[in-house]
Amino acid sequence: MSVNASRKKITTATIRDMKGREKIVSLTAYDYVTARLVDEAGVHLILVGDSLGMVVLGYENTLPVTMADMLHHTAAVARAKPNGLLVADMPFMSYHRSTEQAIRNAGRFVQEAGAEGVKLEGGSPRMAERIAAIVEAGIPVLGHIGLTPQKILDLGGYKVQGRTDESAARLMMEAKRLEDAGVFALVLECVPAELARSITESVRVPTIGIGAGPHCDGQIQVINDLLGLATWPTFKHVKRFASVGDAMRTAVAAYRDEVQSGKFPTKEQSF
Ligand code: KIV
């Protein structure tokens, strides 16, 4: 029996209900095998993030990621039939043109890829309107404010947001606006810990932080950073829990040496 079969399926209601009771553990995954391992470890929310662009596809940022890329990887993760809630990131320009476009593309994640919710970046009145329309169509939305990487060209770099009184007040307003629009939870990326605490205390939906300190209702990380699989400099908020990249390099070098020296394959691996 799979581990999942013995656990109760996590829904948006479960995630909402965890606020103030139990910390929400979220992590990205981009493929079937990783999704299975992450799910077996008991992660509550699996995000197919558009960080896919950097950590899997080798782009410099998330901007080149397409709907086709996201649908392909979300469907792979969905085949793992995770017990955790499966949320897909809507990529750059897939919800910016109109509300109609936002609903249509959100629907594709559910109908074609098996997502159980979508994530959109931004907390402007226009974004709240689009989120409300998607929620009204029956598709759960995870909000995302603070550092929103799809705005990298405008932000001028990956910088902590909400450091001034004005921008902190704006983020607080965005959080409340997205709560009113119907998000089931809210990602806070790279905001000062005390601001994240105030937002967490001011909204009824759970906050899930990345670089937002310990007071959020949950945490999310990019799996490659956590496993030590990143071949790029990581951010201050990252903690490495393993050195999988080093283990892979060592294993592959050992394979190379054994092939070259004739030690592999032996009789045991031969027919
Ligand atoms: O794309 C992503 O992986 C994300 C999170 C880490 C929040 O948006």
Side-chain angles (χ1 to χ4, degrees):
M1 186 172 71
S2 81
V3 175
N4 291 351
S6 63
R7 303 208 318 255
K8 196 162 177 267
K9 173 68 188 156
I10 293 180
T11 65
T12 54
T14 323
I15 299 289
R16 276 177 185 274
D17 203 43
M18 287 171 80
K19 186 174 176 92
R21 294 174 199 262
E22 191 186 343
K23 291 276 187 183
I24 300 161
V25 182
S26 317
L27 197 55
T28 65
Y30 314 96
D31 63 82
Y32 170 82
V33 172
T34 311
R36 287 209 58 160
L37 296 173
V38 161
D39 200 51
E40 283 170 16
V43 163
H44 303 116
L45 186 155
I46 300 178
L47 173 72
V48 185
D50 63 352
S51 47
L52 167 83
M54 287 93 91
V55 305
V56 177
L57 303 178
Y59 295 130
E60 257 178 42
N61 54 44
T62 59
L63 304 187
V65 177
T66 62
M67 276 297 292
D69 294 330
M70 291 305 300
L71 288 170
H72 180 76
H73 285 268
T74 302
V77 170
R79 277 178 223 121
K81 297 191 175 31
N83 179 71
L85 185 74
L86 171 53
V87 178
D89 240 342
M90 294 192 67
F92 182 56
M93 282 298 137
S94 70
Y95 55 98
H96 303 76
R97 291 191 179 97
S98 65
T99 299
E100 196 275 329
Q101 183 212 23
I103 299 174
R104 181 161 25 87
N105 281 330
R108 292 189 67 193
F109 277 105
V110 174
Q111 291 191 308
E112 298 174 32
E116 297 165 320
V118 292
K119 177 165 81 60
L120 281 71
E121 293 183 8
S124 67
R126 182 165 297 171
M127 222 29 92
E129 195 185 298
R130 295 204 176 145
I131 288 172
I134 295 171
V135 172
E136 210 208 358
I139 301 168
V141 175
L142 175 60
H144 181 162
I145 59 171
L147 173 60
T148 45
Q150 291 176 11
K151 282 239 162 92
I152 186 69
L153 299 179
D154 193 32
L155 296 174
Y158 296 101
K159 299 176 191 156
V160 175
Q161 305 294 303
R163 280 204 196 272
T164 64
D165 289 351
E166 193 192 339
S167 81
R170 197 185 58 242
L171 284 177
M172 177 63 84
M173 204 174 3
E174 289 183 354
K176 291 184 175 166
R177 191 181 286 137
L178 293 192
E179 176 181 32
D180 290 343
V183 297
F184 71 87
L186 186 58
V187 170
L188 301 179
E189 178 162 354
C190 289
V191 301
E194 280 311 309
L195 173 60
R197 185 211 287 267
S198 313
I199 293 176
T200 300
E201 287 171 356
S202 305
V203 293
R204 289 179 308 275
V205 292
T207 58
I208 303 179
I210 171 163
H215 311 297
C216 294
D217 297 303
Q219 297 292 327
I220 184 158
Q221 287 284 304
V222 169
I223 187 156
N224 299 56
D225 292 339
L226 186 127
L227 294 182
L229 257 177
T231 52
W232 48 87
T234 53
F235 298 101
K236 176 174 156 64
H237 61 72
V238 169
K239 179 173 173 186
R240 236 193 212 210
F241 287 81
S243 299
V244 175
D246 291 343
M248 282 175 78
R249 212 175 286 113
T250 305
V252 174
Y255 166 67
R256 179 205 61 207
D257 290 348
E258 291 202 9
V259 169
Q260 291 197 322
S261 67
K263 221 171 148 194
F264 174 86
T266 63
K267 258 193 186 161
E268 216 172 296
Q269 287 99 23
S270 306
F271 300 101

